[in-house]
Amino acid sequence: ELAQIGVTGLAVMGRNLARNFAHHGYRVAVHNRTQARTDSLLADHGDEGDFVGSSSLEEFVQSLERPRRIIIMVKAGAGTDAVIEELIPLLESGDIVIDAGNAHFPDTVRREKLLAEHDLHFVGMGVSGGEEGALKGPSIMPGGPAESYESLGPMLEEISAHVDGVPCCTYIGPDGAGHFVKMVHNGIEYADMQLIAEAYDLLGRGLGADAAEIAGIFRTWNEGDLESFLIEITAEVLAHTDDRTGKPFVDIILDQAEQKGTGRWTVQNALDLGVPITGIAEATFARALSGSVPQREAAREALPADAEEWVIEDRDAFIEDVRLALYASKVVAYSQGFDQIAAASRENDWNIDRGAMARIWRGGCIIRARFLNRITEAYERDPELPLLLADPYFTEAVGNGLAAWRRIVAGAARAGVPTPAFSSSLAYYDGIRAQRLPAALIQAQRDFFGAHTYRRVDDEGAFHVEWSLDRSETSEGRPAG
Ligand code: NDP
């Protein structure tokens, strides 16, 4: 009997994904370059469902029903290309190759073209939720040809996480769309984590609270609008004590944050598209700053603080201010991320439904949160919503916290507490709502030194001032007047 789905690449992610399919009653063909991994999957979990082992890629391909559905879950990059090359000659017209690794979306676009030349379907599929998600239900973001989703979609929806009975999986869009939204998901995750870290720092430095006390605050916050996986695990981490020293666990960790690159990709793409995602960018740079060891050493010695003491008279009011500032900054970060999705969708003709993105991120993935329901509702009210922040619900929610947000950012600046994501989000908020921006002066400067021209508030067309001559205004094609 042939298998309905195949997984090649049986490290932690592939193994768990294969088990997830098996748990849902599918006959799953499994393969790994190094045979030992296949053997250990069958030995450790073979009794959990219907697995078909194989000792070669040929055997694996032959064990699948047609059109074949083959999930590649190997090390992203060269590993994925190597497996694809090996697979191509073994497959037949109409077979579906699914890359579930963390591919960079331009690679997915390139791979889809290559496979299309061989009359094969390629589905670049974002999978979020880590190993636990892969096993118990991830958030799944499949792109590629819409017709592939017809055969693949129902299986994927079945093994995905579910919230209120709704699967956290939907068709995203052509070629690189799935991996693109997975990338932005990860970027938003960077921003969310940085904002939480800043809130922790503010509470610690403002209140002089220790990790256990802050854990309690996060636990309380997790019962309100901020309820989310990241807030929940933050409380758990902060409450944890180091076995070796008996100190709060967070206090014994070296303060240098690492990254695997999806935040960087998100920011690079936003720069290309010209979309201001300041929250994600600050979060990415904050990790880089933390890892700038020689610079930090030099600065620690040389740079004075000249900061004021942060005198907090009402502790509860301060905690509420931090909570409101965190929520407002978080809305900004998500609004920016959804803006980036909209811009990329327009640029690539992906036709991505932003409300559906928020819906499939409610479960299975790292940024899962109650608040995503609000985003889905916002796009249901207006699918073309130009700015998430401008949805009435968010306008009100952020508006209610505005005074608190300003108090926190100003207080942090006076006290010398770095809040790059809180403060840049507030600057974005004030920038995007400004009646008039100093960008007018930038245009004038550009015209002065580079004759880059400017547009007027009271006339159509492009104008230039003869700065080095008589400073008269000229316009393209006609004398200005
Ligand atoms: P790894 O990224 O550690 O990759 C190891 C697997 O890739 C092994 O099965 C290995 O085979 C295989 N592999 C590497 N190079 C080749 C090659 N040239 N040819 C054939 N096979 C190769 O595994 P993970 O399970 O951690 O992750 C798999 C994918 O999932 C990655 O793309 C990763 O980025 C992504 N991922 C996603 C997460 C998420 O939350 N969505 C979390 C973690 C990972 P062998 O055993 O023979 O060495």
Side-chain angles (χ1 to χ4, degrees):
E1 200 187 332
L2 295 172
Q4 293 148 298
I5 185 114
V7 179
T8 180
L10 301 175
V12 54
M13 290 296 291
R15 151 187 294 241
N16 281 356
L17 208 58
R19 290 170 63 200
N20 189 347
F21 277 109
H23 296 169
H24 282 88
Y26 289 104
R27 191 164 162 82
V28 189
V30 288
H31 171 265
N32 192 71
R33 175 180 63 180
T34 309
Q35 172 86 34
R37 279 199 209 270
T38 313
D39 295 343
S40 94
L41 168 60
L42 295 176
D44 298 344
H45 306 287
D47 58 348
E48 290 174 14
D50 198 357
F51 296 100
V52 186
S54 51
S55 52
S56 71
L57 202 61
E58 289 82 352
E59 200 186 315
F60 169 68
V61 166
Q62 288 314 314
S63 69
L64 282 155
E65 67 178 32
R66 299 214 44 224
R68 300 184 178 90
R69 303 179 200 92
I70 296 179
I71 297 183
I72 304 176
M73 201 36 144
V74 302
K75 196 168 176 60
T80 312
D81 283 320
V83 175
I84 288 174
E85 283 202 6
E86 253 186 279
L87 273 174
I88 288 175
L90 304 175
L91 298 179
E92 291 162 273
S93 167
D95 288 350
I96 306 172
V97 176
I98 304 128
D99 174 19
N102 265 336
H104 195 195
F105 76 93
D107 288 336
T108 303
V109 173
R110 166 176 63 77
R111 288 169 184 147
E112 202 205 341
K113 282 208 183 82
L114 172 71
L115 268 76
E117 285 167 18
H118 295 271
D119 210 13
L120 299 169
H121 295 261
F122 186 67
V123 172
M125 180 166 99
V127 179
S128 176
E131 40 182 302
E132 166 120 354
L135 181 64
K136 295 184 178 158
S139 176
I140 310 182
M141 294 152 255
E147 56 191 294
S148 310
Y149 196 79
E150 281 168 30
S151 113
L152 198 58
M155 303 175 78
L156 296 176
E157 290 181 13
E158 217 180 318
I159 65 140
S160 75
H162 285 69
V163 175
D164 304 332
V166 180
C168 294
C169 171
T170 192
Y171 174 64
I172 310 293
D175 57 67
H179 277 134
F180 176 84
V181 298
K182 170 68 200 316
M183 177 191 81
V184 177
H185 163 284
N186 284 29
I188 290 174
E189 175 186 311
Y190 274 52
D192 220 336
M193 292 167 72
Q194 174 66 22
L195 289 168
I196 291 171
E198 289 179 20
Y200 150 75
D201 201 26
L202 284 161
L203 293 169
R205 291 169 69 165
L207 300 173
D210 64 14
E213 198 179 331
I214 302 172
I217 296 170
F218 277 104
R219 223 174 275 128
T220 312
W221 287 356
N222 202 39
E223 284 156 20
D225 293 335
L226 282 169
E227 182 192 316
S228 62
F229 172 70
L230 283 170
I231 295 277
E232 182 190 324
I233 65 162
T234 300
E236 285 198 33
V237 167
L238 291 174
H240 184 62
T241 312
D242 177 44
D243 279 345
R244 285 206 250 166
T245 58
K247 288 183 183 168
F249 173 67
V250 69
D251 292 344
I252 58 95
I253 299 180
L254 195 66
D255 61 344
Q256 294 170 23
E258 297 173 4
Q259 50 183 312
K260 286 208 293 194
T262 39
R264 183 172 63 236
W265 289 344
T266 312
V267 178
Q268 283 168 338
N269 171 261
L271 290 171
D272 289 341
L273 293 170
V275 179
I277 52 159
T278 56
I280 298 171
E282 287 294 352
T284 309
F285 285 133
R287 291 196 192 187
L289 184 147
S290 76
S292 302
V293 175
Q295 292 86 343
R296 286 180 67 189
E297 235 162 64
R300 232 182 254 130
E301 307 243 314
L303 307 188
D306 203 1
E308 290 170 19
E309 195 191 340
W310 202 340
V311 184
I312 287 156
E313 271 146 23
D314 184 337
R315 291 170 72 89
D316 289 341
F318 175 78
I319 294 169
E320 180 61 4
D321 274 6
V322 175
R323 188 186 71 85
L324 289 165
L326 173 58
Y327 189 72
S329 305
K330 177 170 161 139
V331 174
V332 165
Y334 279 70
S335 184
Q336 293 174 338
F338 278 85
D339 234 13
Q340 181 175 5
I341 292 176
S345 181
R346 274 193 301 275
E347 168 115 347
N348 298 287
D349 288 325
W350 282 336
N351 207 12
I352 297 174
D353 174 351
R354 287 170 293 171
M357 290 310 92
R359 195 174 63 239
I360 65 167
W361 290 343
R362 291 183 308 162
C365 67
I366 307 299
I367 65 171
R368 61 185 182 260
R370 180 198 286 196
F371 146 93
L372 288 161
N373 280 318
R374 303 297 193 175
I375 299 183
T376 304
E377 287 159 15
Y379 287 113
E380 274 166 7
R381 277 191 284 276
D382 178 4
E384 302 305 321
L385 189 64
L387 182 75
L388 189 58
L389 266 173
D391 168 77
Y393 171 79
F394 288 112
T395 307
E396 197 189 325
V398 171
N400 287 340
L402 205 44
W405 200 6
R406 295 194 191 287
R407 275 194 296 273
I408 290 297
V409 168
R414 276 195 298 267
V417 178
T419 55
F422 272 53
S423 51
S424 71
S425 298
L426 179 56
Y428 173 90
Y429 178 88
D430 282 327
I432 206 82
R433 68 172 192 84
Q435 300 299 325
R436 196 162 158 75
L437 288 166
L441 178 57
I442 308 273
Q443 278 305 99
Q445 292 165 333
R446 296 180 71 245
D447 189 59
F448 190 105
F449 66 66
H452 293 301
T453 76
Y454 53 91
R455 285 175 293 152
R456 297 185 56 105
V457 296
D458 57 358
D459 198 0
E460 294 290 313
F463 299 89
H464 167 60
V465 166
E466 299 291 355
W467 292 102
S468 53
L469 301 172
D470 63 352
R471 305 211 161 177
S472 64
E473 184 176 72
T474 61
S475 85
E476 264 144 41
R478 67 183 168 95

